[in-house]
Coordinates of all heavy atoms in Angstrom, one line a residue:
M1477 N -83.3 202.3 3.8 CA -82.6 201.2 4.1 C -81.8 201.4 5.5 O -81.7 200.4 6.3 CB -81.6 200.7 3.0 CG -82.4 200.4 1.7 SD -83.5 199.0 2.0 CE -82.5 197.6 1.7
Q1478 N -81.3 202.6 5.6 CA -80.6 203.0 6.8 C -81.5 202.8 8.1 O -81.1 202.4 9.1 CB -79.8 204.2 6.8 CG -78.6 204.1 5.8 CD -77.9 205.6 5.7 OE1 -78.6 206.5 5.9 NE2 -76.8 205.4 5.5
R1479 N -82.7 203.4 7.9 CA -83.7 203.3 9.0 C -84.0 201.9 9.4 O -84.1 201.6 10.5 CB -84.9 204.1 8.7 CG -86.0 204.0 9.8 CD -85.6 204.7 11.1 NE -86.7 204.6 12.0 CZ -86.4 204.6 13.3 NH1 -85.2 204.6 13.7 NH2 -87.5 204.5 14.1
L1480 N -84.2 201.0 8.2 CA -84.5 199.6 8.5 C -83.3 198.9 9.3 O -83.6 198.2 10.2 CB -84.8 199.0 7.3 CG -85.3 197.5 7.4 CD1 -86.5 197.4 8.3 CD2 -85.6 197.0 6.0
S1481 N -82.1 199.3 8.9 CA -80.9 198.8 9.7 C -80.9 199.2 11.1 O -80.6 198.4 11.9 CB -79.7 199.3 8.9 OG -79.5 198.8 7.6
E1482 N -81.3 200.5 11.3 CA -81.3 201.0 12.7 C -82.3 200.2 13.5 O -82.1 199.9 14.6 CB -81.6 202.5 12.7 CG -81.4 203.2 13.9 CD -81.6 204.7 14.0 OE1 -81.6 205.2 12.9 OE2 -81.7 205.3 15.0
I1483 N -83.6 200.0 12.9 CA -84.6 199.3 13.6 C -84.2 197.9 13.9 O -84.4 197.4 15.0 CB -85.9 199.2 12.8 CG1 -86.5 200.7 12.7 CG2 -86.9 198.2 13.2 CD1 -87.6 200.8 11.7
L1484 N -83.5 197.2 13.0 CA -83.0 195.8 13.3 C -82.0 195.9 14.5 O -82.0 194.9 15.3 CB -82.4 195.3 12.0 CG -83.5 195.0 10.8 CD1 -82.7 194.6 9.6 CD2 -84.4 193.9 11.2
G1485 N -81.1 196.8 14.5 CA -80.2 197.0 15.6 C -80.9 197.2 17.0 O -80.5 196.5 17.9
A1486 N -81.9 197.9 16.9 CA -82.6 198.2 18.1 C -83.3 196.8 18.6 O -83.3 196.5 19.8 CB -83.6 199.3 18.0
L1487 N -84.0 196.2 17.6 CA -84.6 194.9 17.9 C -83.7 193.9 18.4 O -84.1 193.1 19.3 CB -85.5 194.5 16.7 CG -86.6 195.3 16.3 CD1 -87.2 194.7 14.9 CD2 -87.8 195.1 17.4
H1488 N -82.6 193.8 17.8 CA -81.5 192.9 18.3 C -81.3 193.0 19.8 O -81.1 192.0 20.5 CB -80.2 193.0 17.4 CG -79.1 192.1 17.8 ND1 -79.4 190.8 17.7 CD2 -77.9 192.3 18.3 CE1 -78.2 190.2 18.1 NE2 -77.4 191.1 18.5
F1489 N -81.1 194.3 20.1 CA -80.8 194.5 21.6 C -82.0 194.3 22.4 O -82.0 193.5 23.4 CB -80.3 195.9 21.9 CG -80.1 196.3 23.2 CD1 -78.9 195.7 23.9 CD2 -81.0 196.9 24.0 CE1 -78.8 195.8 25.3 CE2 -80.9 197.1 25.4 CZ -79.7 196.6 26.0
L1490 N -83.1 194.9 22.1 CA -84.3 194.8 22.9 C -84.9 193.5 23.0 O -85.3 193.0 24.1 CB -85.4 195.8 22.4 CG -85.1 197.3 22.6 CD1 -86.0 198.1 21.8 CD2 -85.0 197.7 24.1
R1491 N -85.0 192.6 21.9 CA -85.6 191.4 22.0 C -84.6 190.4 22.8 O -85.1 189.6 23.6 CB -85.7 190.7 20.6 CG -86.8 191.6 19.8 CD -88.1 191.4 20.3 NE -88.7 190.1 19.9 CZ -89.8 189.7 20.3 NH1 -90.5 190.2 21.1 NH2 -90.1 188.4 20.1
G1492 N -83.3 190.8 22.8 CA -82.4 190.1 23.7 C -82.7 190.2 25.2 O -82.6 189.2 26.0
I1493 N -83.0 191.4 25.6 CA -83.1 191.6 27.1 C -84.6 191.3 27.5 O -84.8 191.1 28.6 CB -82.8 193.2 27.5 CG1 -83.7 194.1 26.9 CG2 -81.4 193.4 27.2 CD1 -83.7 195.5 27.4
C1494 N -85.4 191.1 26.5 CA -86.8 190.8 26.8 C -87.0 189.3 26.6 O -88.2 188.9 26.4 CB -87.8 191.7 25.9 SG -87.9 193.3 26.3
N1495 N -86.0 188.5 26.7 CA -86.1 187.0 26.7 C -86.9 186.4 25.6 O -87.8 185.6 25.8 CB -86.7 186.6 28.1 CG -85.9 187.1 29.3 OD1 -84.6 186.9 29.2 ND2 -86.5 187.5 30.3
S1496 N -86.6 186.9 24.4 CA -87.4 186.4 23.3 C -86.9 185.1 22.7 O -87.6 184.4 21.9 CB -87.3 187.5 22.1 OG -85.9 187.4 21.6
E1497 N -85.8 184.7 23.2 CA -85.1 183.4 22.7 C -84.9 183.3 21.3 O -84.9 182.3 20.6 CB -86.0 182.2 23.2 CG -86.3 182.0 24.6 CD -85.2 181.8 25.5 OE1 -84.2 181.1 25.0 OE2 -85.1 182.3 26.6
E1498 N -84.8 184.6 20.6 CA -84.5 184.6 19.2 C -83.0 184.6 18.9 O -82.7 184.6 17.6 CB -85.2 185.9 18.7 CG -86.6 185.9 18.7 CD -87.2 187.2 18.3 OE1 -86.6 188.3 18.4 OE2 -88.5 187.2 17.9
G1499 N -82.2 184.7 19.8 CA -80.8 184.6 19.5 C -80.2 185.7 18.6 O -80.5 186.8 18.8
Q1500 N -79.7 185.3 17.5 CA -79.1 186.2 16.5 C -80.0 186.7 15.4 O -79.6 187.1 14.4 CB -77.8 185.7 16.1 CG -76.8 185.4 17.1 CD -76.2 186.8 17.6 OE1 -75.9 187.7 16.8 NE2 -76.2 186.9 18.9
K1501 N -81.4 186.4 15.6 CA -82.3 186.5 14.4 C -82.3 188.0 13.8 O -82.0 188.1 12.6 CB -83.7 186.2 14.9 CG -84.7 186.6 14.0 CD -86.2 186.4 14.3 CE -87.1 186.9 13.3 NZ -88.5 186.6 13.6
W1502 N -82.2 189.0 14.6 CA -82.3 190.3 14.0 C -81.0 190.8 13.5 O -81.0 191.6 12.4 CB -82.8 191.3 15.1 CG -84.2 190.9 15.5 CD1 -84.6 190.3 16.7 CD2 -85.3 191.0 14.7 NE1 -85.9 190.0 16.6 CE2 -86.4 190.4 15.5 CE3 -85.6 191.4 13.4 CZ2 -87.7 190.3 15.0 CZ3 -87.0 191.4 12.9 CH2 -88.0 190.9 13.8
R1503 N -79.9 190.2 14.0 CA -78.6 190.6 13.5 C -78.5 189.9 12.2 O -77.9 190.4 11.3 CB -77.5 190.1 14.5 CG -76.1 190.5 14.1 CD -75.0 190.2 15.2 NE -73.8 190.8 15.0 CZ -72.9 190.3 14.1 NH1 -73.0 189.1 13.6 NH2 -71.7 190.9 14.0
S1504 N -78.8 188.6 12.2 CA -78.9 187.9 10.9 C -79.6 188.5 9.8 O -79.2 188.6 8.6 CB -79.3 186.4 11.1 OG -78.4 185.7 12.1
E1505 N -80.8 189.0 10.1 CA -81.7 189.7 9.2 C -81.0 191.0 8.6 O -81.0 191.2 7.5 CB -82.9 190.1 9.8 CG -83.9 188.9 10.2 CD -84.5 188.3 8.9 OE1 -84.7 188.9 7.9 OE2 -84.8 187.0 9.0
A1506 N -80.4 191.7 9.6 CA -79.7 192.9 9.1 C -78.5 192.5 8.2 O -78.2 193.2 7.2 CB -79.2 193.7 10.4
Q1507 N -77.8 191.5 8.6 CA -76.6 191.1 7.7 C -77.0 190.7 6.4 O -76.5 191.0 5.3 CB -75.9 189.9 8.4 CG -74.6 189.5 7.7 CD -73.6 190.7 7.7 OE1 -73.2 191.0 8.8 NE2 -73.1 191.1 6.6
A1508 N -78.2 190.0 6.3 CA -78.7 189.5 5.0 C -79.2 190.8 4.1 O -78.8 190.9 2.9 CB -79.9 188.6 5.1
L1509 N -79.7 191.8 4.8 CA -80.1 193.0 4.2 C -79.0 193.8 3.6 O -78.8 194.2 2.5 CB -80.9 193.9 5.2 CG -81.4 195.2 4.6 CD1 -82.4 195.1 3.5 CD2 -82.0 196.1 5.9
I1510 N -78.0 194.0 4.4 CA -76.8 194.6 4.1 C -76.0 193.9 3.0 O -75.7 194.5 2.1 CB -75.8 194.8 5.3 CG1 -76.5 195.8 6.4 CG2 -74.4 195.4 4.9 CD1 -75.8 195.8 7.7
D1511 N -75.9 192.6 3.0 CA -75.3 191.8 2.0 C -76.0 192.0 0.7 O -75.4 192.1 -0.5 CB -75.1 190.4 2.3 CG -74.2 190.1 3.4 OD1 -73.4 191.0 3.7 OD2 -74.3 189.0 4.0
A1512 N -77.3 191.9 0.6 CA -78.2 192.1 -0.5 C -78.1 193.5 -1.1 O -78.1 193.8 -2.3 CB -79.6 191.6 -0.3
E1513 N -78.2 194.5 -0.2 CA -78.2 195.9 -0.7 C -77.0 196.6 -1.0 O -76.9 197.3 -1.9 CB -79.0 196.7 0.3 CG -79.1 198.2 0.1 CD -80.0 198.5 -1.1 OE1 -80.8 197.7 -1.5 OE2 -79.8 199.7 -1.7
A1514 N -75.9 196.3 -0.1 CA -74.7 197.0 -0.2 C -73.5 196.1 0.0 O -73.0 196.1 1.2 CB -74.7 198.2 0.7
P1515 N -73.0 195.3 -0.9 CA -72.0 194.4 -0.7 C -70.7 195.0 -0.4 O -69.8 194.3 0.2 CB -71.9 193.5 -2.1 CG -72.6 194.4 -3.0 CD -73.6 195.3 -2.3
G1516 N -70.5 196.2 -0.6 CA -69.2 196.9 -0.2 C -69.3 198.5 -0.3 O -70.4 199.0 -0.6
G1517 N -68.2 199.0 0.2 CA -68.1 200.5 0.1 C -68.8 201.2 1.3 O -69.2 200.7 2.3
S1518 N -69.0 202.5 0.9 CA -69.5 203.4 2.0 C -70.9 203.1 2.3 O -71.4 203.4 3.5 CB -69.3 204.8 1.6 OG -70.2 205.2 0.5
R1519 N -71.7 202.7 1.3 CA -73.1 202.4 1.7 C -73.2 201.3 2.8 O -74.1 201.4 3.7 CB -73.9 202.1 0.4 CG -75.4 201.8 0.7 CD -76.2 202.3 -0.5 NE -77.6 201.8 -0.4 CZ -78.5 202.4 0.2 NH1 -78.2 203.4 1.0 NH2 -79.7 201.9 0.2
R1520 N -72.4 200.2 2.6 CA -72.4 199.1 3.5 C -72.0 199.6 4.9 O -72.6 199.4 5.9 CB -71.4 198.0 3.1 CG -71.3 197.0 4.0 CD -70.2 195.9 3.5 NE -70.3 194.8 4.4 CZ -71.1 193.7 4.2 NH1 -71.9 193.7 3.3 NH2 -71.1 192.7 5.0
E1521 N -71.0 200.6 4.9 CA -70.5 201.1 6.1 C -71.6 201.8 6.9 O -71.9 201.9 8.0 CB -69.3 202.1 6.0 CG -68.0 201.2 5.6 CD -66.9 202.0 5.1 OE1 -67.0 203.3 5.3 OE2 -65.9 201.5 4.7
Q1522 N -72.4 202.7 6.1 CA -73.5 203.5 6.7 C -74.5 202.6 7.2 O -75.2 202.8 8.3 CB -74.1 204.4 5.5 CG -73.3 205.4 5.2 CD -73.7 206.2 3.9 OE1 -74.6 205.7 3.2 NE2 -73.0 207.3 3.6
M1523 N -74.9 201.5 6.6 CA -75.9 200.5 7.1 C -75.5 199.9 8.3 O -76.2 199.7 9.2 CB -76.3 199.6 5.9 CG -77.0 200.2 4.8 SD -77.4 199.1 3.5 CE -78.8 198.1 4.2
V1524 N -74.2 199.4 8.4 CA -73.6 198.9 9.6 C -73.7 199.9 10.7 O -74.1 199.5 11.9 CB -72.2 198.3 9.4 CG1 -71.5 198.0 10.6 CG2 -72.2 197.2 8.4
A1525 N -73.3 201.1 10.4 CA -73.4 202.1 11.5 C -74.8 202.5 11.9 O -75.0 202.6 13.1 CB -72.8 203.4 10.9
S1526 N -75.7 202.3 11.1 CA -77.2 202.5 11.4 C -77.5 201.4 12.4 O -78.2 201.6 13.4 CB -78.1 202.6 10.2 OG -77.8 203.7 9.5
F1527 N -77.2 200.2 12.1 CA -77.6 199.0 12.9 C -76.9 199.2 14.3 O -77.6 199.0 15.4 CB -77.1 197.7 12.3 CG -77.2 196.6 13.2 CD1 -78.3 195.7 13.1 CD2 -76.3 196.2 14.0 CE1 -78.6 194.6 13.8 CE2 -76.5 195.0 14.9 CZ -77.7 194.3 14.8
N1528 N -75.6 199.6 14.4 CA -75.0 199.8 15.6 C -75.6 201.0 16.4 O -75.7 200.9 17.6 CB -73.5 200.0 15.4 CG -72.8 198.8 14.9 OD1 -73.2 197.7 15.2 ND2 -71.7 199.0 14.2
R1529 N -76.0 202.0 15.7 CA -76.6 203.1 16.4 C -77.9 202.7 17.1 O -78.2 203.1 18.2 CB -76.9 204.3 15.4 CG -77.5 205.5 16.1 CD -77.6 206.8 15.0 NE -78.1 206.3 13.7 CZ -77.4 206.3 12.6 NH1 -76.0 206.4 12.6 NH2 -77.9 206.0 11.5
G1530 N -78.7 202.0 16.3 CA -79.9 201.4 16.9 C -79.7 200.5 18.2 O -80.5 200.6 19.1
Y1531 N -78.7 199.7 18.0 CA -78.3 198.8 19.1 C -77.9 199.5 20.3 O -78.5 199.5 21.5 CB -77.3 197.8 18.7 CG -76.9 196.8 19.7 CD1 -77.6 195.5 19.8 CD2 -76.0 197.0 20.7 CE1 -77.3 194.6 20.6 CE2 -75.7 196.1 21.7 CZ -76.3 194.9 21.7 OH -76.0 193.9 22.6
R1532 N -76.8 200.5 20.1 CA -76.3 201.3 21.2 C -77.2 202.2 21.9 O -77.2 202.5 23.1 CB -75.0 201.9 20.8 CG -73.9 201.0 20.5 CD -72.6 201.7 20.1 NE -71.7 200.8 19.6 CZ -71.1 200.8 18.4 NH1 -71.4 201.8 17.6 NH2 -70.2 199.8 18.1
G1533 N -78.1 202.8 21.1 CA -79.2 203.8 21.6 C -79.9 203.1 22.7 O -80.2 203.8 23.7
F1534 N -80.4 201.9 22.6 CA -81.3 201.3 23.5 C -80.3 200.6 24.6 O -80.8 200.5 25.7 CB -82.2 200.3 22.9 CG -83.2 201.1 22.3 CD1 -83.3 201.4 20.9 CD2 -84.4 201.6 23.1 CE1 -84.3 202.0 20.3 CE2 -85.3 202.3 22.4 CZ -85.4 202.5 21.1
Q1535 N -79.1 200.3 24.3 CA -78.2 199.6 25.2 C -77.9 200.6 26.4 O -77.8 200.3 27.5 CB -77.0 199.2 24.6 CG -76.0 198.5 25.5 CD -74.7 198.2 24.7 OE1 -74.2 199.0 23.9 NE2 -74.1 197.0 25.0
Q1536 N -77.9 201.9 26.0 CA -77.6 202.9 27.0 C -78.7 203.3 27.8 O -78.5 203.7 29.0 CB -77.1 204.2 26.3 CG -75.8 204.0 25.6 CD -75.4 205.3 24.7 OE1 -76.2 206.1 24.6 NE2 -74.2 205.1 24.2
T1537 N -79.9 202.8 27.4 CA -81.3 203.2 28.2 C -81.7 202.1 28.9 O -82.2 202.3 30.1 CB -82.2 203.7 27.1 OG1 -81.8 204.7 26.3 CG2 -83.5 204.2 27.8
Y1538 N -81.7 200.9 28.4 CA -82.3 199.7 29.1 C -81.3 198.7 29.6 O -80.4 198.3 28.9 CB -83.2 199.1 28.1 CG -84.4 199.9 27.8 CD1 -84.5 200.6 26.6 CD2 -85.5 200.0 28.7 CE1 -85.6 201.4 26.2 CE2 -86.7 200.8 28.3 CZ -86.7 201.4 27.1 OH -87.7 202.2 26.8
R1539 N -81.6 198.3 30.9 CA -80.7 197.2 31.4 C -81.4 195.9 31.5 O -80.8 194.8 31.5 CB -80.1 197.5 32.8 CG -79.2 198.7 32.8 CD -78.0 198.4 32.1 NE -77.1 199.6 32.1 CZ -76.6 200.2 30.9 NH1 -76.9 199.7 29.8 NH2 -75.9 201.3 31.0
N1540 N -82.7 196.1 31.5 CA -83.6 194.9 31.5 C -84.9 195.2 30.8 O -85.2 196.4 30.5 CB -83.9 194.3 32.9 CG -84.1 195.4 33.8 OD1 -84.7 196.5 33.5 ND2 -83.9 195.2 35.2
C1541 N -85.7 194.3 30.5 CA -87.1 194.4 29.9 C -88.0 195.2 30.7 O -88.3 194.8 31.9 CB -87.5 193.2 29.4 SG -88.9 193.4 28.3
T1542 N -88.7 196.2 30.2 CA -89.7 197.0 30.9 C -90.8 197.0 30.0 O -90.8 196.8 28.9 CB -89.1 198.4 31.2 OG1 -89.0 199.0 30.0 CG2 -87.8 198.4 32.0
P1543 N -91.9 197.5 30.6 CA -93.2 197.7 29.8 C -92.9 198.6 28.6 O -93.4 198.6 27.5 CB -94.2 198.2 30.7 CG -93.9 197.6 32.0 CD -92.4 197.6 32.0
A1544 N -92.1 199.6 28.9 CA -91.7 200.6 27.8 C -90.9 200.0 26.7 O -91.1 200.3 25.5 CB -91.0 201.8 28.5
A1545 N -90.0 199.1 27.1 CA -89.3 198.4 26.1 C -90.2 197.6 25.2 O -89.9 197.5 24.0 CB -88.1 197.5 26.7
D1546 N -91.2 196.8 25.8 CA -92.1 196.1 25.2 C -92.8 196.9 24.1 O -93.1 196.5 23.0 CB -93.1 195.4 26.0 CG -92.6 194.2 26.7 OD1 -91.6 193.6 26.1 OD2 -93.1 193.8 27.7
V1547 N -93.2 198.2 24.5 CA -94.0 199.1 23.5 C -93.0 199.4 22.4 O -93.4 199.5 21.2 CB -94.4 200.3 24.3 CG1 -94.9 201.5 23.3 CG2 -95.5 200.0 25.3
V1548 N -91.7 199.7 22.7 CA -90.8 200.1 21.6 C -90.7 198.9 20.6 O -90.7 199.1 19.4 CB -89.4 200.4 22.2 CG1 -88.4 200.6 21.1 CG2 -89.5 201.7 23.0
V1549 N -90.5 197.6 21.1 CA -90.4 196.5 20.3 C -91.6 196.5 19.3 O -91.4 196.2 18.2 CB -90.3 195.2 21.1 CG1 -90.5 194.0 20.3 CG2 -88.9 195.2 21.8
R1550 N -92.7 196.5 19.9 CA -94.0 196.5 19.1 C -94.1 197.6 18.0 O -94.3 197.3 16.7 CB -95.3 196.6 19.9 CG -95.6 195.3 20.6 CD -97.0 195.3 21.1 NE -97.4 196.4 22.0 CZ -97.2 196.5 23.4 NH1 -96.5 195.6 23.9 NH2 -97.5 197.5 24.0
R1551 N -93.7 198.8 18.4 CA -93.7 199.9 17.4 C -92.7 199.7 16.3 O -92.9 200.0 15.1 CB -93.4 201.2 18.2 CG -94.7 201.7 18.9 CD -94.4 203.0 19.6 NE -95.6 203.4 20.3 CZ -95.6 204.3 21.2 NH1 -94.6 205.0 21.3 NH2 -96.7 204.6 21.9
Y1552 N -91.4 199.2 16.7 CA -90.4 199.0 15.7 C -90.7 197.8 14.8 O -90.3 197.8 13.6 CB -89.1 198.8 16.4 CG -88.4 200.1 16.8 CD1 -89.0 201.3 16.7 CD2 -87.0 200.1 17.0 CE1 -88.4 202.4 17.0 CE2 -86.3 201.3 17.2 CZ -87.0 202.4 17.2 OH -86.3 203.7 17.5
L1553 N -91.3 196.8 15.3 CA -91.8 195.6 14.5 C -92.7 196.1 13.5 O -92.6 195.8 12.3 CB -92.4 194.5 15.3 CG -91.5 193.7 16.1 CD1 -92.3 192.8 17.1 CD2 -90.5 192.9 15.2
E1554 N -93.7 197.0 13.9 CA -94.7 197.7 12.9 C -94.0 198.5 11.9 O -94.3 198.5 10.7 CB -95.8 198.4 13.7 CG -96.6 197.5 14.5 CD -97.6 198.3 15.4 OE1 -97.6 199.6 15.4 OE2 -98.3 197.7 16.2
E1555 N -93.1 199.4 12.4 CA -92.5 200.3 11.5 C -91.5 199.6 10.5 O -91.4 199.9 9.3 CB -91.6 201.3 12.2 CG -90.9 202.3 11.3 CD -90.1 203.4 12.1 OE1 -90.2 203.4 13.3 OE2 -89.4 204.1 11.3
G1556 N -90.8 198.6 11.0 CA -89.9 197.8 10.1 C -90.7 197.0 9.1 O -90.3 196.9 7.9
A1557 N -91.8 196.4 9.4 CA -92.7 195.7 8.5 C -93.2 196.7 7.4 O -93.3 196.4 6.2 CB -93.9 195.1 9.2
K1558 N -93.6 197.9 7.8 CA -94.1 198.9 6.9 C -93.0 199.3 5.9 O -93.3 199.4 4.7 CB -94.7 200.1 7.6 CG -95.2 201.1 6.6 CD -95.6 202.4 7.3 CE -96.2 203.5 6.4 NZ -95.5 203.7 5.2
I1559 N -91.8 199.5 6.4 CA -90.7 199.9 5.5 C -90.4 198.7 4.4 O -90.2 199.0 3.3 CB -89.4 200.2 6.3 CG1 -89.6 201.5 7.1 CG2 -88.2 200.3 5.4 CD1 -88.6 201.8 8.0
A1560 N -90.4 197.6 5.0 CA -90.1 196.3 4.2 C -91.2 196.2 3.1 O -91.0 196.0 1.9 CB -90.1 195.1 4.9
R1561 N -92.6 196.4 3.4 CA -93.6 196.4 2.5 C -93.5 197.5 1.5 O -93.7 197.3 0.2 CB -94.9 196.5 3.2 CG -95.4 195.3 3.9 CD -96.9 195.3 4.2 NE -97.2 196.5 5.1 CZ -97.1 196.6 6.4 NH1 -96.7 195.5 7.1 NH2 -97.4 197.7 7.1
D1562 N -93.2 198.7 1.9 CA -93.0 199.8 1.0 C -91.8 199.5 0.0 O -92.0 199.8 -1.2 CB -92.7 201.1 1.8 CG -94.0 201.6 2.5 OD1 -95.0 201.1 2.3 OD2 -93.8 202.5 3.4
I1563 N -90.8 199.0 0.4 CA -89.6 198.8 -0.4 C -90.0 197.6 -1.4 O -89.7 197.9 -2.5 CB -88.4 198.3 0.4 CG1 -87.8 199.5 1.3 CG2 -87.3 197.8 -0.5 CD1 -86.8 199.1 2.2
T1564 N -90.6 196.6 -0.9 CA -91.1 195.6 -1.9 C -92.1 196.2 -2.9 O -91.9 195.8 -4.1 CB -91.8 194.5 -1.0 OG1 -90.7 193.9 -0.1 CG2 -92.1 193.3 -2.0
A1565 N -93.0 196.9 -2.5 CA -94.0 197.4 -3.4 C -93.3 198.4 -4.5 O -93.6 198.3 -5.6 CB -95.1 198.2 -2.7
R1566 N -92.4 199.1 -4.0 CA -91.7 200.0 -4.9 C -90.8 199.4 -6.0 O -90.6 199.8 -7.1 CB -91.0 201.1 -4.1 CG -90.3 202.2 -4.9 CD -89.7 203.2 -4.1 NE -89.2 204.3 -5.0 CZ -88.7 205.5 -4.5 NH1 -88.6 205.6 -3.2 NH2 -88.2 206.2 -5.4
Y1567 N -90.0 198.3 -5.4 CA -88.9 197.8 -6.3 C -89.2 196.4 -6.8 O -88.3 195.8 -7.5 CB -87.6 197.9 -5.5 CG -87.2 199.3 -5.1 CD1 -87.3 199.8 -3.8 CD2 -86.6 200.1 -6.2 CE1 -86.9 201.1 -3.6 CE2 -86.3 201.4 -5.9 CZ -86.4 201.9 -4.6 OH -86.0 203.2 -4.3
A1568 N -90.3 195.8 -6.4 CA -90.6 194.4 -6.9 C -90.9 194.5 -8.4 O -91.4 195.5 -8.9 CB -91.8 193.9 -6.2
N1569 N -90.5 193.4 -9.1 CA -90.7 193.4 -10.5 C -92.2 193.1 -10.8 O -93.0 192.7 -10.8 CB -89.9 192.2 -11.2 CG -88.4 192.6 -11.0 OD1 -88.1 193.7 -11.0 ND2 -87.7 191.5 -10.8

């Protein structure tokens, strides 16, 4: 869950600089995930920290959208989707 939070933070930043017109989509997705998984306590703090780490890591590297940023976005979308599928398969009723 922390890795997924980190990916969502990275996507929030990168999609913003790559003119995706998605606004707060990835931040909202992370907030919903955090609220569902860890409504309070240290687990919540860890997930928030992971989101922020993902965001800040790319904020320090990219000032505008580049071909490399597009590649990162595609890879993170794929990795995030895989994690979500794995979680669903493992914990679904």
Side-chain angles (χ1 to χ4, degrees):
M1477 296 302 271
Q1478 289 180 331
R1479 177 64 179 153
L1480 188 54
S1481 295
E1482 187 174 350
I1483 289 169
L1484 292 171
L1487 287 171
H1488 180 60
F1489 177 76
L1490 291 169
R1491 297 292 285 170
I1493 65 169
C1494 288
N1495 300 316
S1496 68
E1497 302 297 324
E1498 293 172 337
Q1500 297 294 309
K1501 175 184 177 176
W1502 299 106
R1503 186 173 193 275
S1504 297
E1505 291 289 332
Q1507 187 64 56
L1509 176 69
I1510 291 167
D1511 290 344
E1513 177 63 22
S1518 65
R1519 182 140 167 85
R1520 179 184 188 85
E1521 291 171 6
Q1522 290 170 348
M1523 290 177 73
V1524 169
S1526 293
F1527 177 90
N1528 290 336
R1529 184 174 44 255
Y1531 185 94
R1532 290 184 189 124
F1534 286 98
Q1535 183 183 39
Q1536 293 173 356
T1537 306
Y1538 293 98
R1539 297 289 178 239
N1540 48 24
C1541 193
T1542 66
D1546 282 331
V1547 169
V1548 171
V1549 167
R1550 282 195 306 277
R1551 287 183 181 166
Y1552 274 19
L1553 286 170
E1554 291 170 7
E1555 183 181 352
K1558 182 185 180 318
I1559 292 170
R1561 282 191 308 272
D1562 290 349
I1563 290 169
T1564 301
R1566 183 172 182 178
Y1567 297 106
N1569 295 329

